[in-house]
Amino acid sequence: MRVLCASPLSFSFSRASCAAAARIKTAPHHRLKIFYRASNPRRTPRSTLEARTGVHVDRKSNLGGTLLCQKALLAGDLDLYVEYTGTALTAVLNESPSADSHEVYNRVRQGYAQRFNLEVTEPLGFENTFAMVVRGDDAQRLHLANTSDIVPYAPKMRAGFGYEFLERPDGFRGWSQLYGLRFAASPSVMDLGLIYRALVDKKVDIVAGNSTDGLIEALHLVSLVDDKHYFPPYDAVPIIRRDALAKFPQLRGALADLANKISAEEMRHLNSEVDANQRDSAAVVRAFRASKSL
């Protein structure tokens, strides 16, 4: 069986791209494939599923963005992955966003069932929204707290964003139009793994990261409040093929055990432990699972 986790259950989930996949092997001809979104640590869901189902998971990485993950899921190349509700609603279902997280979740669950015969299970407990990030000293000097605060400074600011944020329907175009932002030049297209270093090195002045990124606090950066509520909710939810549930019925209970187990604050801490403090991701995951009795 192939499972895709989004932002999917690695620890740090990037909403912009899928980062890892895994195969769960139960026999030579039975395997569960899991996909994890970018970053660290990536082993929480895999470890939990293995522990609760007795199935071995072999993880893979760098499979592409949401639409590629969705295509792989529909083709049977993956059985399960973790997606963000706002991304599923706007990028996959092509529906208009809403600020109500329960409404978005229900629309996604119904839409995936009716259109794709996929099951959306309970949220994992954390939201990973876009974070518009600036340097801490700039935020203090210019009194930047809300996104609206950068409007008068934008003409002198250099922006750096990932490709998907620039192209997706809930991304740069609508965000910049709503806030009336005009930057010094067209935003630089950047690798998501390099955006914070580029910001610290003053190669850019604002980047689009993820709200659960551990490096934001570690590097003394500031995430601006989305005071006009542009972004929809991005709650992390597992999405699974129904034939996979039929083949591996023990997965339903294992996924239920993960429901609402990881808060956004815990996710940021876990990411910080790996990305900032350079701790081994497997050790961080083991400690977290033990603390949650997973």
Side-chain angles (χ1 to χ4, degrees):
M1 175 182 181
R2 294 146 296 195
V3 179
L4 172 65
C5 297
S7 261
L9 273 183
S10 37
F11 274 141
S12 42
F13 297 98
S14 156
R15 285 172 343 331
S17 64
C18 300
R23 293 177 180 176
I24 296 181
K25 301 178 181 178
T26 54
H29 301 294
H30 295 84
R31 57 185 57 181
L32 175 65
K33 297 180 184 176
I34 302 180
F35 187 88
Y36 297 95
R37 291 211 181 255
S39 66
N40 297 306
R42 300 187 177 105
R43 295 181 175 87
T44 301
R46 183 183 72 167
S47 301
T48 301
L49 291 178
E50 286 179 332
R52 297 300 174 94
T53 66
V55 180
H56 175 68
V57 180
D58 177 24
R59 178 174 52 83
K60 291 186 176 182
S61 62
N62 300 318
L63 296 185
T66 288
L67 297 181
L68 290 177
C69 297
Q70 173 73 2
K71 182 178 180 180
L73 191 65
L74 294 177
D77 295 328
L78 295 172
D79 296 305
L80 172 125
Y81 84 101
V82 178
E83 185 55 88
Y84 295 108
T85 53
T87 301
L89 185 71
T90 59
V92 178
L93 296 175
N94 296 314
E95 294 186 13
S96 59
S98 166
D100 187 315
S101 61
H102 295 292
E103 178 192 341
V104 170
Y105 169 73
N106 288 327
R107 288 167 63 189
V108 168
R109 183 177 60 177
Q110 183 178 31
Y112 271 67
Q114 293 178 345
R115 294 174 55 178
F116 308 123
N117 197 33
L118 298 173
E119 187 158 333
V120 178
T121 63
E122 291 297 310
L124 300 177
F126 69 94
E127 181 186 20
N128 191 26
T129 188
F130 283 107
M132 313 314 294
V133 181
V134 297
R135 288 181 291 273
D137 55 353
D138 286 347
Q140 184 174 13
R141 178 173 54 88
L142 300 174
H143 305 289
L144 306 178
N146 297 322
T147 302
S148 294
D149 296 334
I150 69 171
V151 173
Y153 306 105
K156 294 184 179 180
M157 297 178 74
R158 298 159 298 168
F161 302 132
Y163 173 79
E164 193 164 341
F165 178 69
L166 291 171
E167 297 297 324
R168 55 189 288 161
D170 55 345
F172 172 75
R173 181 175 300 178
W175 172 74
S176 59
Q177 288 177 350
L178 177 64
Y179 281 98
L181 296 170
R182 300 291 184 271
F183 292 106
S186 297
S188 298
V189 182
M190 305 190 70
D191 185 296
L192 292 178
L194 303 176
I195 57 173
Y196 294 129
R197 179 50 54 190
L199 186 60
V200 170
D201 291 344
K202 298 187 176 182
K203 294 179 180 178
V204 292
D205 303 304
I206 184 171
V207 299
N210 300 303
S211 60
T212 60
D213 287 344
L215 288 176
I216 295 176
E217 182 176 357
L219 296 175
H220 308 292
L221 305 173
V222 171
S223 177
L224 300 173
V225 174
D226 179 21
D227 54 301
K228 292 190 176 183
H229 308 290
Y230 171 72
F231 297 113
Y234 294 103
D235 295 309
V237 291
I239 299 175
I240 186 167
R241 290 173 58 89
R242 285 177 170 169
D243 59 356
L245 281 174
K247 183 184 294 185
F248 301 96
Q250 64 268 46
L251 281 172
R252 189 179 295 280
L255 291 171
D257 288 341
L258 290 168
N260 298 305
K261 284 296 195 301
I262 311 175
S263 69
E265 182 178 358
E266 288 170 327
M267 185 63 73
R268 279 190 294 272
H269 172 73
L270 295 169
N271 286 331
S272 180
E273 286 291 281
V274 174
D275 295 332
N277 298 333
Q278 300 298 303
R279 288 188 58 195
D280 176 64
S281 62
V284 172
V285 169
R286 283 195 298 270
F288 177 78
R289 289 185 60 232
S291 73
K292 297 286 186 175
S293 300
L294 293 173

